[in-house]
Amino acid sequence: MKIWHVGGFPSPEIVNGLNNTVWLVAKEQALMGHKVSMIVTKINKDALYFSEQSGLNLIHISTTKWSYEPKLLKSLLSSQAPQIVHMHGVFSPEQATLSFNLFRRGIPYVSTPHSMTPQFLRRDWFKKSLYSLFIEKPRLSASSAITGVTPSETETINKFISNYQGILRSVPNPIEISKLDKYTWTKNIKAKRLVYMGRFDVLHKGIDILVEIARFLPEFEFHLYGNEYIKTMQWLEKIKLNIPGNVYLHNPIFGDEKLKVLSEATLYIQASRWEAFGVSIAEAMYIGLPCAISNTHNIAETFSQYNLGCLFTLNPKEAACKLSELLNNQSEQLLYWSQNARNFAKLNFHPQTVASEYLNLYQEIIH
C-alpha cells in the first residue's frame, strides 16, 4: 500500500505526542513492507538516519503561508500518487489546501486531530471559530475517516462536525518502547516522590494546581520536569515567587535519564485542565509507575473504565486529601494499579499494534 503521512515535525527527535505518533506509525508500517512516505518541510540528519533504518521515504516539500509549494505538490501527486494520505494535526492551512487537492484527484485521506478537546477549542475561540466554519470543518468532513486518540476525543470530534458521514474511530497513540522495556517501577513508595514531565504551560498543564496540591502535602516531594511556555511565562514567574519548599522545577530530561527518574518515583502526577493524550502518562504506565491524573484528561474515562490509576478533581485541597490517603495507607492499591496499567499499556500502546490498526482502517477505506 502506498501511504503518505503528513503533519509530523522535520525530526523524529522532537518530543511531542503528535510527532511521536507520526514517526512511529510510519516507521512500523514501512517495516511491514508498505511504501510509506513522510511529508517534511525540512530534512535533518536524525530524519535521514531514521528513514534509512526503517525503509521510510522522505518527501521534502516547502510551504508558503497557506499551502505546500503548489507546483511541486502537483508534480508529486501526478508522479508519486499515494493510495491514501494520513493527516495528523488540526487547524493547519497546508493540510486544508492539500485536502482540496486530494479530493479533486479522488485520493482518500484520514484525519487524526490529536488535540480535539472542548477546552482546546475554546482557547483563542474567536479565531478558531471563524477558521473552523470556513476551512477546518469542510476539511474534516471530506475525510474518509477521522480518528481520536481516546473515546472522549472521538466524542468531541463527533460534536464538532455533527453531520459527519465517514468512519469515526478511536485509535490510541503509540509510544517508543525500545528503551522502556529495560525499566520497571522500583516500587519506591516510601520515597514519597511525585513526578510530572511536560512543558510548563501553566493554564493547559495545570502547573498552578500541582503547586497548590503540593502546598497541602509538605511531607511529599513534587519534582516537575519541563520547559517554560512563552504564553504563560509571566504566570509561572509569579508562582515561583511563592513556591513551596517541596516543589522542585527541573529542566526537561530524555531517554535513559527520564526513564530512570520515572522508575524510581513513587507516583506520576498530572493536573492538566485538558489533555487529549499524555505521552509521559503512557510511558509511566508502560513501566508500571502508578499514575494520578486529573479527571479532566480525555484518558480519565479509560482510567475509570479499566481501573488504571487515581483520578482527582482540580480542587487542590480535595486532590491533596485523596493523594495523602492513597500514598500513606493504600500501598496495595498502588501495586494493583502498577500491574494493571502496565498490562493495558503493553497491549494498547505498542507501535506495531497501533500501526496495524491504522492499516486495517486504510484497507477498509480503499476497498
Side-chain angles (χ1 to χ4, degrees):
M1 198 183 324
K2 295 180 181 179
I3 306 161
W4 281 11
H5 282 277
V6 181
F9 292 92
S11 168
E13 298 301 315
I14 295 174
V15 180
N16 173 282
L18 181 153
N19 195 53
N20 177 73
T21 297
V22 179
W23 285 94
L24 281 179
V25 170
K27 170 188 173 182
E28 291 298 330
Q29 291 173 346
L31 290 172
M32 292 176 190
H34 297 278
K35 296 181 179 179
V36 184
S37 297
M38 278 279 294
I39 305 298
V40 293
T41 55
K42 295 178 183 177
I43 294 182
N44 64 20
K45 60 180 182 180
D46 292 327
L48 286 171
Y49 178 78
F50 191 96
S51 66
E52 290 168 1
Q53 295 298 306
S54 61
L56 180 66
N57 181 44
L58 299 178
I59 297 178
H60 176 216
I61 178 168
S62 60
T63 59
T64 63
K65 187 175 181 179
W66 284 92
S67 69
Y68 292 104
E69 203 283 307
K71 289 184 179 179
L72 180 54
L73 178 61
K74 182 179 180 180
S75 174
L76 288 169
L77 289 172
S78 297
S79 62
Q80 302 179 40
Q83 291 174 278
I84 195 159
V85 175
H86 193 157
M87 298 193 203
H88 304 260
V90 69
F91 297 114
S92 165
E94 306 93 67
Q95 291 191 23
T97 53
L98 174 59
S99 67
F100 176 73
N101 280 279
L102 295 174
F103 185 78
R104 286 177 57 194
R105 289 168 172 77
I107 299 173
Y109 63 91
V110 175
S111 296
T112 304
H114 288 276
S115 58
M116 194 71 81
T117 66
Q119 298 90 338
F120 169 77
L121 293 173
R122 285 197 294 267
R123 202 175 194 182
D124 299 324
W125 70 270
F126 183 72
K127 289 190 292 185
K128 284 177 180 172
S129 61
L130 289 175
Y131 187 93
S132 296
L133 179 62
F134 295 106
I135 300 175
E136 196 61 10
K137 288 184 178 181
R139 179 186 81 85
L140 290 173
S141 295
S143 305
S144 296
I146 307 175
T147 63
V149 298
T150 63
S152 294
E153 186 186 21
T154 306
E155 288 178 16
T156 302
I157 293 168
N158 194 33
K159 292 176 182 177
F160 184 68
I161 44 171
S162 56
N163 60 344
Y164 180 61
Q165 301 297 312
I167 301 168
L168 190 58
R169 195 164 292 170
S170 297
V171 181
N173 281 347
I175 53 176
E176 175 57 71
I177 63 166
S178 58
K179 291 184 178 180
L180 287 174
D181 285 326
K182 297 188 298 182
Y183 290 86
T184 304
W185 181 46
T186 57
K187 302 178 182 178
N188 201 6
I189 297 173
K190 292 183 179 179
K192 296 184 177 181
R193 186 184 306 122
L194 284 67
V195 169
Y196 159 78
M197 294 186 178
R199 70 179 182 274
F200 294 158
D201 180 343
V202 180
L203 177 64
H204 179 186
K205 302 296 184 178
I207 304 301
D208 57 322
I209 298 168
L210 275 182
V211 170
E212 290 308 308
I213 292 173
R215 201 181 302 278
F216 286 110
L217 297 171
E219 71 272 31
F220 297 93
E221 292 183 1
F222 285 69
H223 291 266
L224 282 55
Y225 296 81
N227 280 323
E228 293 181 345
Y229 184 61
I230 189 167
K231 289 185 178 180
T232 62
M233 196 175 297
Q234 290 184 340
W235 191 354
L236 182 64
E237 291 304 314
K238 289 181 181 178
I239 291 172
K240 288 180 181 178
L241 294 176
N242 189 34
I243 199 166
N246 62 330
V247 177
Y248 304 88
L249 301 180
H250 306 276
N251 290 326
I253 52 177
F254 309 100
D256 288 310
E257 185 181 5
K258 174 182 180 179
L259 296 175
K260 185 174 186 295
V261 168
L262 287 174
S263 67
E264 295 176 354
T266 304
L267 188 76
Y268 182 85
I269 186 168
Q270 192 156 324
S272 298
R273 288 181 168 87
W274 70 91
E275 195 73 54
F277 185 93
V279 172
S280 291
I281 297 170
E283 290 174 339
M285 291 169 65
Y286 197 93
I287 67 170
L289 173 62
C291 297
I293 64 172
S294 54
N295 59 8
T296 47
H297 284 67
N298 273 358
I299 203 172
E301 181 182 338
T302 304
F303 262 54
S304 178
Q305 181 179 357
Y306 295 98
N307 197 12
L308 300 176
C310 176
L311 296 175
F312 58 85
T313 71
L314 293 179
N315 181 301
K317 187 174 183 179
E318 290 179 1
C321 287
K322 190 167 189 176
L323 291 168
S324 178
E325 174 64 21
L326 173 66
L327 294 170
N328 286 318
N329 302 311
Q330 298 180 14
S331 59
E332 289 301 316
Q333 180 67 79
L334 289 171
L335 294 172
Y336 173 80
W337 278 335
S338 168
Q339 189 60 51
N340 199 38
R342 191 177 192 199
N343 291 340
F344 183 91
K346 285 180 175 289
L347 180 64
N348 291 279
F349 303 152
H350 195 290
Q352 286 183 359
T353 302
V354 177
S356 295
E357 282 194 55
Y358 277 124
L359 286 171
N360 291 337
L361 177 60
Y362 304 160
Q363 291 283 7
E364 187 176 339
I365 292 167
I366 293 172
H367 299 292

